[in-house]
Amino acid sequence: MNVEIFNLSMTYPSGKTALRGINLNLSSPNLIGLLGPNGAGKSTLMKLLVAGLLPTEGAISVDGKPLMKQERLLKSRLGYLPQSFGLFDELTVWQFLDYMAALKGIVNS
Ligand SMILES: Nc1ncnc2c1ncn2[C@@H]1O[C@H](COP(=O)(O)OP(=O)(O)OP(=O)(O)O)[C@@H](O)[C@H]1O
Ligand SMILES: [Mg+2]
């Protein structure tokens, strides 16, 4: 898989610009670490890479096609543990896994 990031910028509705003009080419197989001080924009970049946010400028392509057109393929191959996440207190572990599998289109036979 080849991920290309072109001139990526993200300004939140509050007016805060978290990323400006990022250009990167990421190819698998590779182990990549994203390092930066607090507030550098690491989580913002991860959210953009998993199509959890839309950039205000620039584009991300996966294997030469726009990320949004590859979203299904990407999500079928992606494991992503966000920095902050929520759990439902009323669900058991099994019920929660079942729910997430249903959201990801994993059929329980
Ligand atoms: N939803 C949001 N609305 C407005 N500003 C935001 C939002 N999320 C992040 N920011 C701001 O964007 C900048 C980048 O934040 P981000 O969370 O991407 O940084 P980070 O590198 O992941 O930081 P940390 O190391 O603390 O996790 C920060 O100034 C942050 O306050
Ligand atoms: Mg973060």
Side-chain angles (χ1 to χ4, degrees), residues 1-6 8 22-34 45-46 48-50 59-64 67 74 78:
M1 185 180 277
N2 184 266
V3 177
E4 280 183 275
I5 299 175
F6 310 94
L8 198 71
I22 304 288
N23 290 287
L24 276 175
N25 198 338
L26 313 170
S27 295
S28 59
N30 246 323
L31 181 63
I32 297 163
L34 185 59
L45 181 60
M46 291 305 297
L48 291 163
L49 280 169
V50 300
I60 301 174
S61 74
V62 177
D63 292 338
L67 176 69
L74 180 79
L78 184 78

Side-chain angles (χ1 to χ4, degrees), residues 12-18 36-45 47 83:
Y12 284 103
S14 66
K16 173 76 195 177
T17 296
N38 295 136
K42 304 175 297 290
S43 293
T44 301
L45 181 60
K47 287 176 199 164
Q83 183 171 351

